[in-house]
Amino acid sequence: GIQVEQSPPDLILQEGANSTLRCNFSDSVNNLQWFHQNPWGQLINLFYIPSGTKQNGRLSATTVATERYSLLYISSSQTTDSGVYFCGSGTASKLTFGTGTRLQVTL
Amino acid sequence: KAGVTQTPRYLIKTRGQQVTLSCSPISGHRSVSWYQQTPGQGLQFLFEYFSETQRNKGNFPGRFSGRQFSNSRSEMNVSTLELGDSALYLCASSLGQHWNTEAFFGQGTRLTVV
């Protein structure tokens, strides 16, 4: 099955800093999602981005399917951005996730 | 439109007991998946259902089981609970027959086994 790797595993930023999270996948995929897990445990959809670039406020994502990676950019980070970020890709009967990037934004 | 609803939100059980967790997908979604997340860990795949059929199962002991009903609601059951079963259990649903469409998660059920 698909293997998904995320980097870095942990990231500490000061408020206002920018960051880039990376997701590599082992096989060609035709779908890719980014999620943010909030402190209460819920996974919130950020982007469904099989290819190309999307932006939503301070967040943007780019997927280069031919090179098997996706990037999540967070600009002007805020403390509310803290949490764990997961990327995932689905097949016929399973959505496979990376191990996540734990982000802590400090004042 | 209502999101994915998981009940109960919190649960405390004693070792050896059994527990049933419920997941109601978004209206119209027929694919449902369950995941276990232990503290500080990633998302471990439990099982996946479509049209009342279990299509995929993760590497968990037989104490973990589940089912999906005709209205797409799903339940998972854990029998003979162990301390290590303490975790956040998350349910996801997807509109498509496969998981190459956007998936949405419920708020999770936090199970504590004492």
Side-chain angles (χ1 to χ4, degrees):
Chain A
I2 296 172
Q3 304 296 317
V4 181
E5 292 182 355
Q6 291 187 244
S7 60
D10 296 281
L11 191 55
I12 300 176
L13 298 174
Q14 274 202 315
E15 198 172 41
N18 302 327
S19 62
T20 301
L21 283 59
R22 186 175 180 104
C23 175
N24 291 333
F25 31 93
S26 61
D27 282 317
S28 297
V29 299
N30 62 6
N31 65 95
L32 195 289
Q33 293 185 67
W34 284 96
F35 298 87
H36 174 220
Q37 186 169 37
N38 64 25
W40 297 272
Q42 186 172 11
L43 273 78
I44 307 297
N45 295 54
L46 295 176
F47 296 100
Y48 175 79
I49 183 164
S51 64
T53 297
K54 289 187 178 179
Q55 181 155 8
N56 185 2
R58 297 181 296 103
L59 273 59
S60 65
T62 294
T63 296
V64 184
T66 53
E67 297 189 20
R68 303 177 185 175
Y69 73 89
S70 183
L71 301 174
L72 178 69
Y73 305 96
I74 304 174
S75 64
S76 304
S77 58
Q78 300 176 358
T79 55
T80 51
D81 295 330
S82 296
V84 184
Y85 290 80
F86 290 99
C87 65
S89 183
T91 58
S93 62
K94 186 177 179 182
L95 186 56
T96 299
F97 292 93
T99 51
T101 292
R102 185 173 299 275
L103 173 64
Q104 183 181 352
V105 180
T106 62
L107 291 171
Chain B
K1 176 160 121 170
V4 179
T5 303
Q6 291 188 245
T7 56
R9 293 286 312 281
Y10 302 92
L11 206 48
I12 300 176
K13 289 285 189 179
T14 305
R15 272 182 301 174
Q17 287 187 313
Q18 75 165 21
V19 67
T20 299
L21 311 182
S22 178
C23 171
S24 292
I26 292 172
S27 179
H29 286 199
R30 294 163 64 193
S31 297
V32 173
S33 277
W34 289 89
Y35 295 82
Q36 181 198 63
Q37 186 179 36
T38 48
Q41 298 301 308
L43 300 164
Q44 303 300 313
F45 173 73
L46 281 160
F47 4 72
E48 188 268 357
Y49 294 91
F50 176 79
S51 287
E52 302 179 68
T53 300
Q54 185 182 91
R55 295 189 299 186
N56 204 342
K57 188 179 190 323
N59 189 24
F60 278 82
R63 300 184 296 106
F64 291 80
S65 63
R67 57 180 175 170
Q68 186 182 35
F69 301 95
S70 59
N71 62 356
S72 295
R73 189 177 71 86
S74 178
E75 288 181 348
M76 65 164 283
N77 185 77
V78 188
S79 62
T80 319
L81 284 165
E82 300 177 359
L83 295 180
D85 298 332
S86 295
L88 177 66
Y89 291 86
L90 291 160
C91 169
S93 76
S94 178
L95 177 63
Q97 183 176 354
H98 305 300
W99 290 87
N100 55 1
T101 56
E102 197 169 5
F104 297 87
F105 279 83
Q107 293 179 295
T109 293
R110 197 169 295 275
L111 171 65
T112 301
V113 182
V114 298

PDB file of all heavy atoms in Angstrom, chain A residues 56-90:
ATOM      1  N   ASN A  56      -5.813  29.369   1.374  1.00  0.00           N
ATOM      2  CA  ASN A  56      -6.940  29.717   2.234  1.00  0.00           C
ATOM      3  C   ASN A  56      -6.390  30.581   3.365  1.00  0.00           C
ATOM      4  O   ASN A  56      -5.849  30.083   4.353  1.00  0.00           O
ATOM      5  CB  ASN A  56      -7.604  28.455   2.787  1.00  0.00           C
ATOM      6  CG  ASN A  56      -8.849  28.785   3.592  1.00  0.00           C
ATOM      7  OD1 ASN A  56      -9.245  29.949   3.703  1.00  0.00           O
ATOM      8  ND2 ASN A  56      -9.485  27.773   4.147  1.00  0.00           N
ATOM      9  N   GLY A  57      -6.505  31.887   3.179  1.00  0.00           N
ATOM     10  CA  GLY A  57      -5.995  32.796   4.200  1.00  0.00           C
ATOM     11  C   GLY A  57      -4.482  32.691   4.333  1.00  0.00           C
ATOM     12  O   GLY A  57      -3.764  32.823   3.348  1.00  0.00           O
ATOM     13  N   ARG A  58      -4.031  32.435   5.553  1.00  0.00           N
ATOM     14  CA  ARG A  58      -2.590  32.343   5.788  1.00  0.00           C
ATOM     15  C   ARG A  58      -2.016  30.984   5.400  1.00  0.00           C
ATOM     16  O   ARG A  58      -0.798  30.781   5.461  1.00  0.00           O
ATOM     17  CB  ARG A  58      -2.308  32.605   7.272  1.00  0.00           C
ATOM     18  CG  ARG A  58      -2.676  33.982   7.779  1.00  0.00           C
ATOM     19  CD  ARG A  58      -2.345  34.141   9.246  1.00  0.00           C
ATOM     20  NE  ARG A  58      -3.150  33.233  10.072  1.00  0.00           N
ATOM     21  CZ  ARG A  58      -2.692  32.122  10.602  1.00  0.00           C
ATOM     22  NH1 ARG A  58      -1.439  31.741  10.414  1.00  0.00           N
ATOM     23  NH2 ARG A  58      -3.479  31.365  11.348  1.00  0.00           N
ATOM     24  N   LEU A  59      -2.856  30.063   5.050  1.00  0.00           N
ATOM     25  CA  LEU A  59      -2.407  28.723   4.682  1.00  0.00           C
ATOM     26  C   LEU A  59      -2.490  28.520   3.185  1.00  0.00           C
ATOM     27  O   LEU A  59      -3.417  29.016   2.527  1.00  0.00           O
ATOM     28  CB  LEU A  59      -3.273  27.661   5.367  1.00  0.00           C
ATOM     29  CG  LEU A  59      -2.898  27.204   6.772  1.00  0.00           C
ATOM     30  CD1 LEU A  59      -2.899  28.349   7.760  1.00  0.00           C
ATOM     31  CD2 LEU A  59      -3.814  26.087   7.228  1.00  0.00           C
ATOM     32  N   SER A  60      -1.510  27.792   2.671  1.00  0.00           N
ATOM     33  CA  SER A  60      -1.567  27.375   1.279  1.00  0.00           C
ATOM     34  C   SER A  60      -0.935  25.995   1.169  1.00  0.00           C
ATOM     35  O   SER A  60      -0.173  25.584   2.046  1.00  0.00           O
ATOM     36  CB  SER A  60      -0.870  28.377   0.357  1.00  0.00           C
ATOM     37  OG  SER A  60       0.515  28.427   0.634  1.00  0.00           O
ATOM     38  N   ALA A  61      -1.272  25.306   0.102  1.00  0.00           N
ATOM     39  CA  ALA A  61      -0.739  23.967  -0.112  1.00  0.00           C
ATOM     40  C   ALA A  61      -0.432  23.784  -1.588  1.00  0.00           C
ATOM     41  O   ALA A  61      -1.134  24.329  -2.446  1.00  0.00           O
ATOM     42  CB  ALA A  61      -1.725  22.904   0.362  1.00  0.00           C
ATOM     43  N   THR A  62       0.599  22.987  -1.822  1.00  0.00           N
ATOM     44  CA  THR A  62       0.993  22.647  -3.189  1.00  0.00           C
ATOM     45  C   THR A  62       1.256  21.149  -3.246  1.00  0.00           C
ATOM     46  O   THR A  62       1.971  20.613  -2.394  1.00  0.00           O
ATOM     47  CB  THR A  62       2.278  23.391  -3.599  1.00  0.00           C
ATOM     48  OG1 THR A  62       2.010  24.801  -3.649  1.00  0.00           O
ATOM     49  CG2 THR A  62       2.765  22.927  -4.962  1.00  0.00           C
ATOM     50  N   THR A  63       0.704  20.500  -4.249  1.00  0.00           N
ATOM     51  CA  THR A  63       0.975  19.086  -4.481  1.00  0.00           C
ATOM     52  C   THR A  63       1.580  18.922  -5.864  1.00  0.00           C
ATOM     53  O   THR A  63       1.021  19.424  -6.850  1.00  0.00           O
ATOM     54  CB  THR A  63      -0.292  18.235  -4.379  1.00  0.00           C
ATOM     55  OG1 THR A  63      -0.790  18.299  -3.039  1.00  0.00           O
ATOM     56  CG2 THR A  63      -0.002  16.768  -4.717  1.00  0.00           C
ATOM     57  N   VAL A  64       2.731  18.246  -5.907  1.00  0.00           N
ATOM     58  CA  VAL A  64       3.362  17.896  -7.174  1.00  0.00           C
ATOM     59  C   VAL A  64       3.279  16.377  -7.280  1.00  0.00           C
ATOM     60  O   VAL A  64       4.160  15.648  -6.801  1.00  0.00           O
ATOM     61  CB  VAL A  64       4.820  18.383  -7.236  1.00  0.00           C
ATOM     62  CG1 VAL A  64       5.410  18.094  -8.619  1.00  0.00           C
ATOM     63  CG2 VAL A  64       4.903  19.870  -6.919  1.00  0.00           C
ATOM     64  N   ALA A  65       2.192  15.912  -7.886  1.00  0.00           N
ATOM     65  CA  ALA A  65       1.913  14.482  -7.890  1.00  0.00           C
ATOM     66  C   ALA A  65       2.997  13.690  -8.623  1.00  0.00           C
ATOM     67  O   ALA A  65       3.344  12.585  -8.216  1.00  0.00           O
ATOM     68  CB  ALA A  65       0.543  14.221  -8.513  1.00  0.00           C
ATOM     69  N   THR A  66       3.545  14.255  -9.700  1.00  0.00           N
ATOM     70  CA  THR A  66       4.555  13.542 -10.492  1.00  0.00           C
ATOM     71  C   THR A  66       5.827  13.317  -9.689  1.00  0.00           C
ATOM     72  O   THR A  66       6.574  12.370  -9.951  1.00  0.00           O
ATOM     73  CB  THR A  66       4.883  14.320 -11.769  1.00  0.00           C
ATOM     74  OG1 THR A  66       5.233  15.665 -11.404  1.00  0.00           O
ATOM     75  CG2 THR A  66       3.692  14.343 -12.713  1.00  0.00           C
ATOM     76  N   GLU A  67       6.083  14.182  -8.702  1.00  0.00           N
ATOM     77  CA  GLU A  67       7.269  14.026  -7.869  1.00  0.00           C
ATOM     78  C   GLU A  67       6.923  13.502  -6.481  1.00  0.00           C
ATOM     79  O   GLU A  67       7.770  13.420  -5.604  1.00  0.00           O
ATOM     80  CB  GLU A  67       8.026  15.352  -7.789  1.00  0.00           C
ATOM     81  CG  GLU A  67       8.536  15.804  -9.141  1.00  0.00           C
ATOM     82  CD  GLU A  67       9.465  17.005  -9.056  1.00  0.00           C
ATOM     83  OE1 GLU A  67      10.010  17.269  -7.971  1.00  0.00           O
ATOM     84  OE2 GLU A  67       9.595  17.702 -10.083  1.00  0.00           O
ATOM     85  N   ARG A  68       5.659  13.166  -6.277  1.00  0.00           N
ATOM     86  CA  ARG A  68       5.201  12.461  -5.070  1.00  0.00           C
ATOM     87  C   ARG A  68       5.425  13.231  -3.780  1.00  0.00           C
ATOM     88  O   ARG A  68       5.920  12.670  -2.775  1.00  0.00           O
ATOM     89  CB  ARG A  68       5.826  11.068  -4.981  1.00  0.00           C
ATOM     90  CG  ARG A  68       5.544  10.197  -6.184  1.00  0.00           C
ATOM     91  CD  ARG A  68       6.230   8.864  -6.089  1.00  0.00           C
ATOM     92  NE  ARG A  68       6.038   8.093  -7.309  1.00  0.00           N
ATOM     93  CZ  ARG A  68       6.602   6.930  -7.529  1.00  0.00           C
ATOM     94  NH1 ARG A  68       7.394   6.385  -6.621  1.00  0.00           N
ATOM     95  NH2 ARG A  68       6.382   6.278  -8.655  1.00  0.00           N
ATOM     96  N   TYR A  69       5.079  14.518  -3.800  1.00  0.00           N
ATOM     97  CA  TYR A  69       5.147  15.249  -2.549  1.00  0.00           C
ATOM     98  C   TYR A  69       4.122  16.367  -2.528  1.00  0.00           C
ATOM     99  O   TYR A  69       3.597  16.790  -3.568  1.00  0.00           O
ATOM    100  CB  TYR A  69       6.557  15.821  -2.290  1.00  0.00           C
ATOM    101  CG  TYR A  69       6.935  16.997  -3.165  1.00  0.00           C
ATOM    102  CD1 TYR A  69       6.643  18.307  -2.779  1.00  0.00           C
ATOM    103  CD2 TYR A  69       7.597  16.803  -4.371  1.00  0.00           C
ATOM    104  CE1 TYR A  69       6.994  19.384  -3.567  1.00  0.00           C
ATOM    105  CE2 TYR A  69       7.959  17.879  -5.171  1.00  0.00           C
ATOM    106  CZ  TYR A  69       7.650  19.164  -4.763  1.00  0.00           C
ATOM    107  OH  TYR A  69       7.997  20.232  -5.557  1.00  0.00           O
ATOM    108  N   SER A  70       3.820  16.793  -1.301  1.00  0.00           N
ATOM    109  CA  SER A  70       2.940  17.922  -1.088  1.00  0.00           C
ATOM    110  C   SER A  70       3.531  18.779   0.025  1.00  0.00           C
ATOM    111  O   SER A  70       4.184  18.265   0.932  1.00  0.00           O
ATOM    112  CB  SER A  70       1.532  17.454  -0.707  1.00  0.00           C
ATOM    113  OG  SER A  70       0.654  18.542  -0.577  1.00  0.00           O
ATOM    114  N   LEU A  71       3.315  20.078  -0.076  1.00  0.00           N
ATOM    115  CA  LEU A  71       3.813  21.025   0.908  1.00  0.00           C
ATOM    116  C   LEU A  71       2.665  21.842   1.472  1.00  0.00           C
ATOM    117  O   LEU A  71       1.758  22.236   0.726  1.00  0.00           O
ATOM    118  CB  LEU A  71       4.833  21.971   0.270  1.00  0.00           C
ATOM    119  CG  LEU A  71       6.071  21.333  -0.365  1.00  0.00           C
ATOM    120  CD1 LEU A  71       6.900  22.402  -1.086  1.00  0.00           C
ATOM    121  CD2 LEU A  71       6.913  20.614   0.667  1.00  0.00           C
ATOM    122  N   LEU A  72       2.720  22.085   2.768  1.00  0.00           N
ATOM    123  CA  LEU A  72       1.757  22.962   3.430  1.00  0.00           C
ATOM    124  C   LEU A  72       2.533  24.151   3.976  1.00  0.00           C
ATOM    125  O   LEU A  72       3.490  23.977   4.736  1.00  0.00           O
ATOM    126  CB  LEU A  72       1.043  22.230   4.566  1.00  0.00           C
ATOM    127  CG  LEU A  72       0.047  23.069   5.375  1.00  0.00           C
ATOM    128  CD1 LEU A  72      -1.174  23.416   4.517  1.00  0.00           C
ATOM    129  CD2 LEU A  72      -0.400  22.314   6.627  1.00  0.00           C
ATOM    130  N   TYR A  73       2.134  25.341   3.565  1.00  0.00           N
ATOM    131  CA  TYR A  73       2.780  26.563   4.018  1.00  0.00           C
ATOM    132  C   TYR A  73       1.886  27.269   5.029  1.00  0.00           C
ATOM    133  O   TYR A  73       0.693  27.443   4.782  1.00  0.00           O
ATOM    134  CB  TYR A  73       3.013  27.521   2.849  1.00  0.00           C
ATOM    135  CG  TYR A  73       3.770  26.960   1.686  1.00  0.00           C
ATOM    136  CD1 TYR A  73       3.088  26.454   0.582  1.00  0.00           C
ATOM    137  CD2 TYR A  73       5.156  26.950   1.661  1.00  0.00           C
ATOM    138  CE1 TYR A  73       3.767  25.945  -0.501  1.00  0.00           C
ATOM    139  CE2 TYR A  73       5.843  26.450   0.566  1.00  0.00           C
ATOM    140  CZ  TYR A  73       5.151  25.946  -0.512  1.00  0.00           C
ATOM    141  OH  TYR A  73       5.836  25.444  -1.590  1.00  0.00           O
ATOM    142  N   ILE A  74       2.479  27.661   6.125  1.00  0.00           N
ATOM    143  CA  ILE A  74       1.772  28.457   7.120  1.00  0.00           C
ATOM    144  C   ILE A  74       2.524  29.775   7.243  1.00  0.00           C
ATOM    145  O   ILE A  74       3.713  29.791   7.594  1.00  0.00           O
ATOM    146  CB  ILE A  74       1.715  27.760   8.490  1.00  0.00           C
ATOM    147  CG1 ILE A  74       1.082  26.370   8.351  1.00  0.00           C
ATOM    148  CG2 ILE A  74       0.930  28.595   9.498  1.00  0.00           C
ATOM    149  CD1 ILE A  74       1.124  25.554   9.633  1.00  0.00           C
ATOM    150  N   SER A  75       1.861  30.866   6.957  1.00  0.00           N
ATOM    151  CA  SER A  75       2.519  32.172   7.063  1.00  0.00           C
ATOM    152  C   SER A  75       1.976  32.918   8.284  1.00  0.00           C
ATOM    153  O   SER A  75       0.850  32.692   8.720  1.00  0.00           O
ATOM    154  CB  SER A  75       2.281  32.991   5.798  1.00  0.00           C
ATOM    155  OG  SER A  75       0.916  33.276   5.647  1.00  0.00           O
ATOM    156  N   SER A  76       2.829  33.776   8.829  1.00  0.00           N
ATOM    157  CA  SER A  76       2.446  34.608   9.982  1.00  0.00           C
ATOM    158  C   SER A  76       1.737  33.763  11.036  1.00  0.00           C
ATOM    159  O   SER A  76       0.603  34.048  11.431  1.00  0.00           O
ATOM    160  CB  SER A  76       1.536  35.748   9.533  1.00  0.00           C
ATOM    161  OG  SER A  76       2.166  36.515   8.536  1.00  0.00           O
ATOM    162  N   SER A  77       2.416  32.733  11.505  1.00  0.00           N
ATOM    163  CA  SER A  77       1.792  31.750  12.390  1.00  0.00           C
ATOM    164  C   SER A  77       1.227  32.395  13.657  1.00  0.00           C
ATOM    165  O   SER A  77       1.741  33.404  14.157  1.00  0.00           O
ATOM    166  CB  SER A  77       2.789  30.651  12.759  1.00  0.00           C
ATOM    167  OG  SER A  77       3.927  31.203  13.374  1.00  0.00           O
ATOM    168  N   GLN A  78       0.155  31.791  14.142  1.00  0.00           N
ATOM    169  CA  GLN A  78      -0.525  32.233  15.363  1.00  0.00           C
ATOM    170  C   GLN A  78      -0.592  31.055  16.334  1.00  0.00           C
ATOM    171  O   GLN A  78      -0.487  29.902  15.920  1.00  0.00           O
ATOM    172  CB  GLN A  78      -1.929  32.736  15.023  1.00  0.00           C
ATOM    173  CG  GLN A  78      -1.927  33.902  14.054  1.00  0.00           C
ATOM    174  CD  GLN A  78      -3.331  34.336  13.653  1.00  0.00           C
ATOM    175  OE1 GLN A  78      -4.325  33.754  14.062  1.00  0.00           O
ATOM    176  NE2 GLN A  78      -3.399  35.381  12.827  1.00  0.00           N
ATOM    177  N   THR A  79      -0.799  31.367  17.583  1.00  0.00           N
ATOM    178  CA  THR A  79      -0.837  30.291  18.589  1.00  0.00           C
ATOM    179  C   THR A  79      -1.951  29.290  18.294  1.00  0.00           C
ATOM    180  O   THR A  79      -1.835  28.107  18.608  1.00  0.00           O
ATOM    181  CB  THR A  79      -1.017  30.862  20.005  1.00  0.00           C
ATOM    182  OG1 THR A  79      -2.184  31.686  20.037  1.00  0.00           O
ATOM    183  CG2 THR A  79       0.201  31.692  20.417  1.00  0.00           C
ATOM    184  N   THR A  80      -2.995  29.758  17.639  1.00  0.00           N
ATOM    185  CA  THR A  80      -4.106  28.861  17.291  1.00  0.00           C
ATOM    186  C   THR A  80      -3.727  27.866  16.193  1.00  0.00           C
ATOM    187  O   THR A  80      -4.474  26.927  15.932  1.00  0.00           O
ATOM    188  CB  THR A  80      -5.332  29.659  16.832  1.00  0.00           C
ATOM    189  OG1 THR A  80      -4.916  30.573  15.816  1.00  0.00           O
ATOM    190  CG2 THR A  80      -5.948  30.421  17.994  1.00  0.00           C
ATOM    191  N   ASP A  81      -2.579  28.066  15.558  1.00  0.00           N
ATOM    192  CA  ASP A  81      -2.107  27.104  14.556  1.00  0.00           C
ATOM    193  C   ASP A  81      -1.463  25.884  15.221  1.00  0.00           C
ATOM    194  O   ASP A  81      -1.184  24.887  14.539  1.00  0.00           O
ATOM    195  CB  ASP A  81      -1.074  27.747  13.631  1.00  0.00           C
ATOM    196  CG  ASP A  81      -1.654  28.867  12.784  1.00  0.00           C
ATOM    197  OD1 ASP A  81      -2.854  28.803  12.459  1.00  0.00           O
ATOM    198  OD2 ASP A  81      -0.901  29.816  12.464  1.00  0.00           O
ATOM    199  N   SER A  82      -1.231  25.944  16.491  1.00  0.00           N
ATOM    200  CA  SER A  82      -0.618  24.813  17.196  1.00  0.00           C
ATOM    201  C   SER A  82      -1.479  23.567  17.060  1.00  0.00           C
ATOM    202  O   SER A  82      -2.700  23.643  16.948  1.00  0.00           O
ATOM    203  CB  SER A  82      -0.416  25.150  18.674  1.00  0.00           C
ATOM    204  OG  SER A  82       0.499  26.213  18.829  1.00  0.00           O
ATOM    205  N   GLY A  83      -0.811  22.429  17.083  1.00  0.00           N
ATOM    206  CA  GLY A  83      -1.516  21.161  16.943  1.00  0.00           C
ATOM    207  C   GLY A  83      -0.708  20.231  16.068  1.00  0.00           C
ATOM    208  O   GLY A  83       0.471  20.462  15.814  1.00  0.00           O
ATOM    209  N   VAL A  84      -1.361  19.196  15.601  1.00  0.00           N
ATOM    210  CA  VAL A  84      -0.692  18.232  14.745  1.00  0.00           C
ATOM    211  C   VAL A  84      -1.295  18.306  13.345  1.00  0.00           C
ATOM    212  O   VAL A  84      -2.513  18.360  13.187  1.00  0.00           O
ATOM    213  CB  VAL A  84      -0.835  16.794  15.288  1.00  0.00           C
ATOM    214  CG1 VAL A  84      -0.045  15.814  14.423  1.00  0.00           C
ATOM    215  CG2 VAL A  84      -0.361  16.720  16.733  1.00  0.00           C
ATOM    216  N   TYR A  85      -0.430  18.323  12.365  1.00  0.00           N
ATOM    217  CA  TYR A  85      -0.851  18.385  10.971  1.00  0.00           C
ATOM    218  C   TYR A  85      -0.601  17.031  10.321  1.00  0.00           C
ATOM    219  O   TYR A  85       0.508  16.488  10.397  1.00  0.00           O
ATOM    220  CB  TYR A  85      -0.086  19.486  10.231  1.00  0.00           C
ATOM    221  CG  TYR A  85      -0.495  20.860  10.686  1.00  0.00           C
ATOM    222  CD1 TYR A  85       0.012  21.409  11.851  1.00  0.00           C
ATOM    223  CD2 TYR A  85      -1.423  21.606   9.948  1.00  0.00           C
ATOM    224  CE1 TYR A  85      -0.389  22.655  12.295  1.00  0.00           C
ATOM    225  CE2 TYR A  85      -1.824  22.859  10.383  1.00  0.00           C
ATOM    226  CZ  TYR A  85      -1.307  23.376  11.555  1.00  0.00           C
ATOM    227  OH  TYR A  85      -1.723  24.611  11.985  1.00  0.00           O
ATOM    228  N   PHE A  86      -1.649  16.493   9.721  1.00  0.00           N
ATOM    229  CA  PHE A  86      -1.551  15.212   9.033  1.00  0.00           C
ATOM    230  C   PHE A  86      -1.836  15.407   7.554  1.00  0.00           C
ATOM    231  O   PHE A  86      -2.707  16.197   7.171  1.00  0.00           O
ATOM    232  CB  PHE A  86      -2.579  14.209   9.577  1.00  0.00           C
ATOM    233  CG  PHE A  86      -2.311  13.717  10.964  1.00  0.00           C
ATOM    234  CD1 PHE A  86      -2.966  14.265  12.055  1.00  0.00           C
ATOM    235  CD2 PHE A  86      -1.416  12.673  11.172  1.00  0.00           C
ATOM    236  CE1 PHE A  86      -2.729  13.795  13.341  1.00  0.00           C
ATOM    237  CE2 PHE A  86      -1.167  12.196  12.451  1.00  0.00           C
ATOM    238  CZ  PHE A  86      -1.819  12.768  13.542  1.00  0.00           C
ATOM    239  N   CYS A  87      -1.124  14.637   6.737  1.00  0.00           N
ATOM    240  CA  CYS A  87      -1.503  14.514   5.335  1.00  0.00           C
ATOM    241  C   CYS A  87      -1.941  13.078   5.110  1.00  0.00           C
ATOM    242  O   CYS A  87      -1.505  12.159   5.817  1.00  0.00           O
ATOM    243  CB  CYS A  87      -0.368  14.895   4.387  1.00  0.00           C
ATOM    244  SG  CYS A  87       1.068  13.812   4.465  1.00  0.00           S
ATOM    245  N   GLY A  88      -2.814  12.877   4.143  1.00  0.00           N
ATOM    246  CA  GLY A  88      -3.308  11.539   3.884  1.00  0.00           C
ATOM    247  C   GLY A  88      -3.704  11.366   2.436  1.00  0.00           C
ATOM    248  O   GLY A  88      -4.066  12.337   1.772  1.00  0.00           O
ATOM    249  N   SER A  89      -3.640  10.128   1.997  1.00  0.00           N
ATOM    250  CA  SER A  89      -4.052   9.810   0.636  1.00  0.00           C
ATOM    251  C   SER A  89      -4.887   8.546   0.667  1.00  0.00           C
ATOM    252  O   SER A  89      -4.588   7.607   1.422  1.00  0.00           O
ATOM    253  CB  SER A  89      -2.832   9.621  -0.267  1.00  0.00           C
ATOM    254  OG  SER A  89      -3.236   9.391  -1.597  1.00  0.00           O
ATOM    255  N   GLY A  90      -5.924   8.505  -0.170  1.00  0.00           N
ATOM    256  CA  GLY A  90      -6.864   7.395  -0.134  1.00  0.00           C
ATOM    257  C   GLY A  90      -6.787   6.488  -1.349  1.00  0.00           C
ATOM    258  O   GLY A  90      -6.440   6.921  -2.444  1.00  0.00           O
TER     259      GLY A  90
END
